Amino acid sequence: MSTFARFNDLNDDLDRLREQINLHLSKSSKKSDILTINKLLNKSENIKTMLQAEVIKCLPSYQAQMKARFDAIIRDWEQFKMSIADSIGQKDNLIASFGAMDQSYRPQRRELASGIETLERSSNSLRRAEVVARESEEIGTDIMDELANQRESLIRSREMLGNHQSSLRQSHRLIRSINIQLITNKCLLILIILLELLILVIIIVFRFILHH
């Protein structure tokens, strides 16, 4: 059974106790019913203790709502107890008995209140941890986006470097072809010069021979 269902069942038990107490108050022999009323009130204190235990066991996000309902039930029962005392004309005796019952349950209530405070502190710690986790998630998302942008920049840089390397290879091939052409031209020029010298020598030789 869930905490909400258990809480509602206990609240219904309190309502039934209220009806029983009102029934005893309506009888003519009120003096003989005081002990029964006190027993019913004692039982109501047990139920209220169990209600407070259910408040402690509920989820932290619902504790404020459950505690507000519990406080409203307690206030309603305090008013009901005062009305009982007024109805039977023995207010002082009943108030004393109520005080004794409250005194007997006070240590348990203090312990339960301490448990509620501990749970509230834990709930606050969980909320703070949730905020920190959310902020960390946002920071992580920003870092991932930044890394993605840097990755894209690196990819573009690598592509540009590849293009530059391709251009450099083409330039190297062009320079080599130019160098080869220059060497070829030099060789042709040297060959032409040698041929001209050879022709000049031949001409000189023929002229010298013919002259003699």
Side-chain angles (χ1 to χ4, degrees), residues 63-119:
Q63 275 188 359
Q65 177 184 355
M66 295 284 286
K67 190 173 184 301
R69 289 186 60 190
F70 175 76
D71 292 340
I73 292 171
I74 294 300
R75 287 193 300 270
D76 182 60
W77 266 88
E78 290 299 325
Q79 294 176 359
F80 179 61
K81 288 191 293 186
M82 296 301 295
S83 67
I84 294 172
D86 292 336
S87 298
I88 64 176
Q90 297 183 7
K91 182 176 180 180
D92 294 337
N93 292 334
L94 277 179
I95 289 176
S97 64
F98 296 156
M101 285 188 292
D102 289 339
Q103 187 70 24
S104 64
Y105 285 100
R106 190 168 297 171
Q108 296 179 7
R109 289 183 179 177
R110 281 199 299 268
E111 184 177 353
L112 290 172
S114 177
I116 290 175
E117 291 177 359
T118 302
L119 287 174

Side-chain angles (χ1 to χ4, degrees), residues 4 14 47 60 76 87 98 103 105 110 120 122 145 153 155 178 182 185 193 212:
F4 282 108
L14 282 178
I47 294 176
D76 182 60
S87 298
F98 296 156
Q103 187 70 24
Y105 285 100
R110 281 199 299 268
E120 287 178 350
S122 300
D145 292 339
S153 298
I155 291 173
I178 292 173
L182 286 174
N185 291 337
I193 292 172
H212 289 82

Side-chain angles (χ1 to χ4, degrees), residues 16-38 40-41 77 79-91 94 98:
R16 284 190 288 270
L17 285 178
R18 185 195 296 264
E19 293 175 359
Q20 294 178 19
I21 291 171
N22 287 329
L23 180 62
H24 284 286
L25 286 174
S26 64
K27 293 181 179 180
S28 58
S29 57
K30 294 180 180 178
K31 186 179 295 185
S32 62
D33 290 326
I34 291 177
L35 292 177
T36 303
I37 292 173
N38 283 334
L40 293 174
L41 289 172
W77 266 88
Q79 294 176 359
F80 179 61
K81 288 191 293 186
M82 296 301 295
S83 67
I84 294 172
D86 292 336
S87 298
I88 64 176
Q90 297 183 7
K91 182 176 180 180
L94 277 179
F98 296 156

